[in-house]
Amino acid sequence: MIFINKGTKWLAAGLGAVVLICGGSFFYQKQHFNRNIEINGVKVGGMSVAEATQKLKTTKLNNNVYLGEKLLVKGSDPTNSTNAVSQEKVQEIFNKQFSLFPSGRSYDYQAKGDSDYSYRKNELRAAVKSELERLNVSRTAPKDAYAELKNGSVHVINAKKGNQYDVNKIMQEYDKQFSDNQIKLTTAYTQPISADSKQVQADKAKLEKLADQKVNYTVQNKTYTLAAKDVINSAKIVDGKYEYDAANLKKKIDDINDSQSTLDKNLKFKTTGGSEITLDKGTYGWALSPIKATKSITTAFEKGDSDLNAKSDIYGEGYTENGLGYNTTSNNGIGNSYVEVSISQQHVWVYKNGTQVASLNVVTGTNDGNYNTPTGLYYIMYKQTNTTLRGKNADNSAYASPVSRWAPFTLDGCGFHDADWRKNWSSTAYLNDGSHGCVNVRPSQINQIYDNVEQYEPVVIYS
């Protein structure tokens, strides 16, 4: 304290004492760390640079890893490594923390030590990550907010928080602490995407636009106007891609198939003799694939396309899976170019564009339950000249029959071909002396069929 009113002698003495105290404090500050300073988690407060360097050199690394206050991984000390840091680096840190007057500010400076920290960078790091992932298995994952189109309108479903650890974030903190004497990680949880995020709001806008879309879907000669909000039960966007519950759209596709498709149906047919019959199911025809059609229609909604033809959505069965007869609506989808086979009459008629161009007697498969020619609606799979037909006889012996013309219509080997080995051409030969399922034609007449049929044309076979 300075007593001015006691005279100049006392004033001088007081000022001298202040200078002495301040000088001593400054000298101390120039030589020692502030009291709450740490380097790599090691307390060096009040120490000189040399003392701090020595303490770092002699302090062994503690490889136990804590998450918050709990021990996460009990580490080992395979290298007996320490937190040795060069005196030059300690001096640099001292210079950074230096203040003219003593400071109580707490700060933990990071400095790479002389150790290579290989154990912490490899084995210990892997163990920490593995343990976090193991713990997450029994924890609840957060649920992101998302936009959803449902029942014709768009809503945002709010996020739900969980308690799973944010492994990446925690490991990033670990990587910053691997040179610390003690690794203490802050607990971090995986956060869900919020309802007001840019992504959710952008998805909401896309779904609102989707809900307003309409597509004119043309199937053969009919067009169906499909409104997205009517045929899509629900939709949302996941990782940038639309996900749909399109049960209503599938039902609409099924309705269209019931009305127009010809595949796997018992179609009506008027025979050459004038009888109206119902054909057995075969492989000829087309139908809309629910998977293909749903994909192309929803894609049209997404792109804003207003018109779409169903032809790319059809499928078929047998030799080709592309679907046949889509462009044909006459004659119940069979059209006016086809081959007609009557088993009871043992006769074949060939029609081209509605005109009969061939009529001839044939021999079909033996009527014994093993080699019957199948009835139904099939198609010419392909045409081949000068080939050999091979198979098994009833006694399991093999046969090889050369033919000049071959036009199969089933995958199990039934087709039209000449048969120069046949002697019995009677109208009852098929009862006990027929073929192995093929339609046998006299060599002199085979071209009446072969030259007048095209690949994929219908083959009508009835009893």
Side-chain angles (χ1 to χ4, degrees):
M1 184 176 294
I2 302 172
F3 299 97
I4 299 176
N5 61 344
K6 295 298 183 180
T8 57
K9 184 176 180 179
W10 282 27
L11 176 61
L15 288 174
V18 170
V19 171
L20 181 63
I21 293 170
C22 289
S25 175
F26 179 74
F27 179 79
Y28 182 86
Q29 283 295 104
K30 286 285 290 182
Q31 301 296 323
H32 298 84
F33 281 94
N34 282 314
R35 66 177 181 272
N36 290 324
I37 299 300
E38 297 180 10
I39 299 177
N40 293 344
V42 177
K43 297 181 183 299
V44 296
M47 295 183 181
S48 67
V49 170
E51 290 170 337
T53 303
Q54 181 61 25
K55 186 173 182 180
L56 289 167
K57 182 178 180 180
T58 56
T59 301
K60 292 182 179 180
L61 293 177
N62 185 338
N63 288 323
N64 290 338
V65 180
Y66 288 82
L67 183 63
E69 298 300 321
K70 293 183 178 180
L71 178 65
L72 180 67
V73 172
K74 184 174 177 59
S76 60
D77 188 15
T79 59
N80 198 30
S81 57
T82 66
N83 228 324
V85 177
S86 69
Q87 187 161 327
E88 289 77 13
K89 290 181 180 178
V90 175
Q91 182 66 55
E92 290 177 5
I93 294 172
F94 179 86
N95 295 340
K96 289 180 181 178
Q97 63 84 55
F98 175 76
S99 58
L100 289 174
F101 298 100
S103 171
R105 180 190 178 196
S106 297
Y107 201 89
D108 185 3
Y109 289 91
Q110 302 298 306
K112 186 175 180 181
D114 295 333
S115 173
D116 63 4
Y117 304 106
S118 59
Y119 169 70
R120 287 186 166 193
K121 291 180 179 178
N122 298 302
E123 291 95 327
L124 186 58
R125 188 184 194 282
V128 170
K129 184 177 181 182
S130 178
E131 179 63 10
L132 289 170
E133 291 172 345
R134 186 191 69 80
L135 292 172
N136 269 349
V137 172
S138 59
R139 288 175 165 263
T140 303
K143 293 184 178 180
D144 294 335
Y146 63 93
E148 182 180 36
L149 166 62
K150 192 170 186 177
N151 299 325
S153 59
V154 179
H155 306 278
V156 173
I157 311 302
N158 288 325
K160 291 184 178 180
K161 290 187 175 182
N163 64 350
Q164 280 193 341
Y165 295 124
D166 188 334
V167 178
N168 289 334
K169 188 172 183 179
I170 294 173
M171 293 312 299
Q172 288 174 3
E173 185 181 6
Y174 176 92
D175 291 337
K176 294 178 181 178
Q177 291 190 33
F178 70 79
S179 61
D180 278 9
N181 181 60
Q182 176 69 71
I183 300 177
K184 290 187 176 181
L185 305 173
T186 303
T187 303
Y189 298 104
T190 302
Q191 298 300 312
I193 297 174
S194 63
D196 58 357
S197 69
K198 289 183 179 180
Q199 184 60 60
V200 172
Q201 292 303 311
D203 290 346
K204 180 175 180 286
K206 289 180 180 179
L207 290 173
E208 288 173 339
K209 183 178 180 180
L210 181 76
D212 291 335
Q213 298 303 313
K214 292 182 179 180
V215 170
N216 296 315
Y217 190 56
T218 301
V219 185
Q220 292 185 304
N221 56 357
K222 293 183 179 180
T223 298
Y224 304 86
T225 299
L226 307 176
K229 63 182 179 180
D230 295 331
V231 298
I232 294 176
N233 300 67
S234 65
K236 57 184 178 180
I237 302 174
V238 179
D239 295 331
K241 296 181 179 180
Y242 290 84
E243 288 188 357
Y244 297 97
D245 173 358
N248 288 344
L249 179 55
K250 184 180 181 301
K251 184 179 184 304
K252 183 64 178 179
I253 294 166
D254 289 343
D255 291 341
I256 296 173
N257 273 332
D258 289 342
S259 173
Q260 292 181 248
S261 71
T262 55
L263 186 64
D264 201 30
K265 286 184 177 180
N266 300 110
L267 300 179
K268 299 292 184 181
F269 179 76
K270 188 173 184 179
T271 69
T272 298
S275 300
E276 178 110 349
I277 65 172
T278 299
L279 296 175
D280 292 334
K281 298 175 183 179
T283 55
Y284 180 84
W286 65 271
L288 291 174
S289 163
I291 294 176
K292 287 183 179 179
T294 297
K295 177 65 176 176
S296 58
I297 292 169
T298 54
T299 298
F301 287 150
E302 293 168 21
K303 292 182 176 180
D305 296 337
S306 57
D307 297 290
L308 182 65
N309 193 292
K311 188 169 184 179
S312 62
D313 299 332
I314 67 171
Y315 74 99
E317 294 179 356
Y319 183 74
T320 176
E321 296 181 355
N322 293 328
L324 300 174
Y326 176 79
N327 294 322
T328 301
T329 56
S330 63
N331 198 15
N332 292 319
I334 298 172
N336 298 314
S337 295
Y338 56 89
V339 182
E340 179 183 347
V341 180
S342 170
I343 292 177
S344 62
Q345 298 178 64
Q346 291 291 282
H347 202 85
V348 169
W349 298 267
V350 181
Y351 288 86
K352 204 74 173 175
N353 298 320
T355 300
Q356 187 184 114
V357 295
S359 175
L360 57 150
N361 292 325
V362 295
V363 175
T364 61
T366 301
N367 190 32
D368 60 359
N370 295 314
Y371 292 122
N372 298 62
T373 298
T375 59
L377 181 58
Y378 301 93
Y379 58 89
I380 301 295
M381 299 194 311
Y382 58 88
K383 296 167 63 178
Q384 191 175 20
T385 61
N386 300 320
T387 188
T388 299
L389 307 180
R390 302 179 187 276
K392 296 284 187 179
N393 293 304
D395 60 3
N396 207 37
S397 61
Y399 69 83
S401 303
V403 298
S404 65
R405 301 290 184 270
W406 170 236
F409 52 78
T410 71
L411 288 175
D412 55 2
C414 295
F416 300 100
H417 64 80
D418 53 300
D420 61 3
W421 59 87
R422 174 167 290 283
K423 305 302 180 185
N424 185 1
W425 291 97
S426 71
S427 61
T428 58
Y430 77 102
L431 295 175
N432 298 298
D433 187 27
S435 71
H436 285 65
C438 289
V439 178
N440 286 182
V441 185
R442 287 180 173 86
S444 62
Q445 295 181 316
I446 187 61
N447 282 338
Q448 292 184 48
I449 297 177
Y450 192 87
D451 292 347
N452 287 300
V453 298
E454 302 293 336
Q455 185 181 32
Y456 301 144
E457 282 186 349
V459 176
V460 176
I461 306 174
Y462 55 90
S463 299

